[in-house]
Amino acid sequence: MDWGGDVPQGHDDVLLLLQCLCDAALDDVIWGRFLEALCRNTGSVEADLFVVDPLAKRYTSCIVCDLERGWIGQCDPEPGAEPVWTELETVPATGTDVPLPPPLLEPNACPVGVAVALGSAPPDPRLWVTELWQYDDRQAFLALRRQTDGAFQGEEEQRLEAVLPFLRRAFLVAYRLETGERRNAMLLRAVEHGSTGVVLLEAHGQIVYANGAAREILTQEDGLLRDGSRLRALRESDNEALQALLHGAIGPAPSAQRASGGVISVPRPSGRTPYSVVAVPVSLRPTVLRRDEAVATVFISDPMTLCEVDGPHIRQLYHLTPREVRLAVLLAGGTTVADAAQALGIAEKTTRIHLQGLFRKTGTRRQVDLVRLLLASPGPARTGDRGAERG
C-alpha cells in the first residue's frame, strides 16, 4: 500500500481495517466493525455504508456507526414501509471496557450521508461521500462525517484513498455472494417442491445434494438406495448399469474425452413401474482451486408419482366444483369412469354428467385429451403414490 511517504501513525488501525475487509463480505456485524475502525482511523464520528436504488430514490440497505453515540445499527427497509433500525452491537468507549449508552439514533431517521446521496439534503462541509460502485442498477456509497469542523485533508484523506480500492472489492464480493445465495435459495426451493428426484454428484461420485423427491425414493429402497454417500441400485446387475451411466456422466478427470450423459430404467422389486434415471454431465470451468472438477446431475422419475395432479390447483385453474375435482384426479390417475363412480359413491350416469362438465370447462372433447391436459397443467408438485392405492 502506497501512503505517499512514511507509513502514518496508527498503521495498526489500518491493518485492522484490512482485516475487517477480509471478513466483511460474510457478515453484516463485521461491516459495522469495519466502519468503527475506519471512523477511529480517520477521526470521524459517524459513518454510513449504504446501497441506494436510484430509480426509486430510496435506500435499500444501510449500516451506520456512530462513535459519539456508541452505536452500530443496520436497516434493510421493506418496499413501501418506513425504515426500522436494529442494533448490531454497542461500540466500546475509547480507553475503557464499559460500553457507552446504546441507541440514541432516532427510529426511522435517515442518515445524513444517505440524504445527501438521494439529493434530499445539502452537503455538510464536514461530510465526505463517495460512490463505491454501480451494480444491477443500484449504487453503493460510503459517507463519513468528521467530529471537528473542516473537510478531510492530508493524512486522513490519504488513508481513505488507500482503503477505497479494497473496500470497493470487498463490497462487490459481499454483494455478489448475497445475490448468489438468494438465487440459490430460490432455485433450491423450486427443486425441493418438484416431483422428479434430483441428485447432484461430485467428481468422485459422492452425493452432495438430493431434493425431497429423491430422498423419498432412496429411503424406500425399492430399486434405488443411498449407500453411504453414493447412489446405487439394489440389484447387482442393475447397479453395474447405473454406475456405468454415472461414470460416463461424471467423466474421467482430467481427460480429453468429454463426459456423456444417458438414461436407463431401474426395475423395482415391488413390481411397480421401473424408475427412469437420467444422468446429465455439468462441467464447471476449471479454476485454481478446482481444476479437475466435474459434476453430474441425476434425475429420477417415478411414473407412478407423475400420475398425480394437484386438486386445489386445477380447481382454481378451471373453476371446477369439488366433485369435478375428485373425478378429474381419479381419471388422471388411470381410473375408469365406472370405477370412479364407485369411488365417488354416485351412479355412473351422474359421473358422466360431471365428466361433460369437465369437458366444457377445460375445452376438451375426449377423455384422453382431458387427462393429457390435467397431467400437463403447470402448478405445485404432484405428490403421493397412486400405485400404493391401487395395490
Side-chain angles (χ1 to χ4, degrees):
M1 183 183 299
D2 184 9
W3 294 96
D6 296 333
V7 176
Q9 294 296 320
H11 59 276
D12 288 343
D13 292 336
V14 177
L15 296 179
L16 176 60
L17 286 176
L18 298 181
Q19 178 64 46
C20 286
L21 283 177
C22 290
D23 301 330
L26 305 176
D27 195 310
D28 285 340
V29 174
I30 299 180
W31 274 120
R33 292 175 184 166
F34 162 75
L35 291 184
E36 176 195 350
L38 188 61
C39 286
R40 296 191 189 282
N41 193 257
T42 58
S44 67
V45 66
E46 183 179 319
D48 312 331
L49 194 60
F50 56 94
V51 178
V52 168
D53 182 347
L55 299 179
K57 282 294 182 182
R58 62 185 296 274
Y59 67 100
T60 57
S61 59
C62 185
I63 298 177
V64 168
C65 174
D66 193 321
L67 292 179
E68 196 171 55
R69 295 167 175 168
W71 191 72
I72 298 176
Q74 163 185 281
C75 180
D76 193 4
E78 295 292 333
E82 289 295 322
V84 177
W85 294 90
T86 57
E87 183 179 358
L88 286 176
E89 61 179 25
T90 302
V91 180
T94 305
T96 177
D97 294 333
V98 180
L100 291 174
L104 297 177
L105 186 67
E106 291 294 329
N108 303 334
C110 182
V112 177
V114 175
V116 171
L118 292 175
S120 58
D124 185 328
R126 299 172 300 165
L127 191 68
W128 188 83
V129 181
T130 183
E131 182 183 79
L132 298 178
W133 48 254
Q134 294 187 29
Y135 194 79
D136 283 353
D137 295 326
R138 299 206 298 170
Q139 297 168 276
F141 293 88
L142 170 67
L144 296 173
R145 188 160 54 178
R146 285 174 54 89
Q147 193 167 13
T148 57
D149 293 335
F152 288 92
Q153 56 185 349
E155 186 176 290
E156 291 176 345
E157 192 170 19
Q158 288 181 26
R159 293 186 180 189
L160 290 174
E161 294 296 337
V163 169
L164 273 179
F166 300 97
L167 175 59
R168 290 189 174 106
R169 292 179 69 91
F171 210 130
L172 186 59
V173 168
Y175 184 78
R176 286 177 171 173
L177 280 175
E178 182 179 354
T179 301
E181 288 174 356
R182 289 174 182 258
R183 290 175 180 171
N184 286 342
M186 293 174 64
L187 290 173
L188 283 176
R189 181 174 299 179
V191 172
E192 278 294 326
H193 285 76
S195 58
T196 299
V198 178
V199 178
L200 301 182
L201 303 180
E202 53 89 62
H204 302 289
Q206 296 185 346
I207 297 174
V208 294
Y209 168 76
N211 72 342
R215 293 193 297 271
E216 182 177 353
I217 289 172
L218 299 180
T219 300
Q220 294 174 1
E221 297 190 357
D222 185 17
L224 288 170
L225 63 129
R226 179 167 184 160
D227 184 10
S229 60
R230 296 181 179 275
L231 178 66
R232 69 180 298 268
L234 185 62
R235 297 172 179 171
E236 191 58 38
S237 57
D238 299 328
N239 189 50
E240 291 180 3
L242 175 64
Q243 298 309 317
L245 175 72
L246 301 182
H247 180 74
I250 293 172
S255 172
Q257 178 184 356
R258 294 185 58 184
S260 60
V263 57
I264 62 172
S265 177
V266 178
R268 304 166 67 174
S270 65
R272 298 175 185 170
T273 306
Y275 292 119
S276 297
V277 180
V278 181
V280 179
V282 183
S283 298
L284 301 179
R285 182 176 62 86
T287 65
V288 173
L289 298 179
R290 293 180 176 270
R291 186 162 298 276
D292 62 346
E293 183 73 2
V295 298
T297 305
V298 180
F299 300 94
I300 307 172
S301 299
D302 181 357
M304 307 305 296
T305 301
L306 295 178
C307 288
E308 283 284 344
V309 296
D310 186 87
H313 177 70
I314 62 171
R315 177 180 181 179
Q316 182 180 3
L317 188 62
Y318 300 112
H319 308 288
L320 306 180
T321 66
R323 182 155 289 179
E324 287 172 341
V325 170
R326 292 182 61 192
L327 176 59
V329 172
L330 288 170
L331 295 178
T335 305
T336 64
V337 174
D339 289 340
Q342 185 176 2
L344 296 173
I346 59 178
E348 183 175 342
K349 183 177 180 180
T350 305
T351 304
R352 293 192 179 277
I353 293 176
H354 289 308
L355 179 59
Q356 292 301 317
L358 286 175
F359 287 156
R360 184 178 67 256
K361 292 181 179 180
T362 59
T364 57
R365 295 183 178 182
R366 299 183 304 166
Q367 186 173 329
V368 63
D369 296 329
L370 172 65
V371 172
R372 183 184 297 114
L373 177 68
L374 293 174
L375 293 177
S377 297
R382 305 181 179 98
T383 58
D385 191 342
R386 300 203 63 82
E389 297 177 4
R390 291 194 297 268

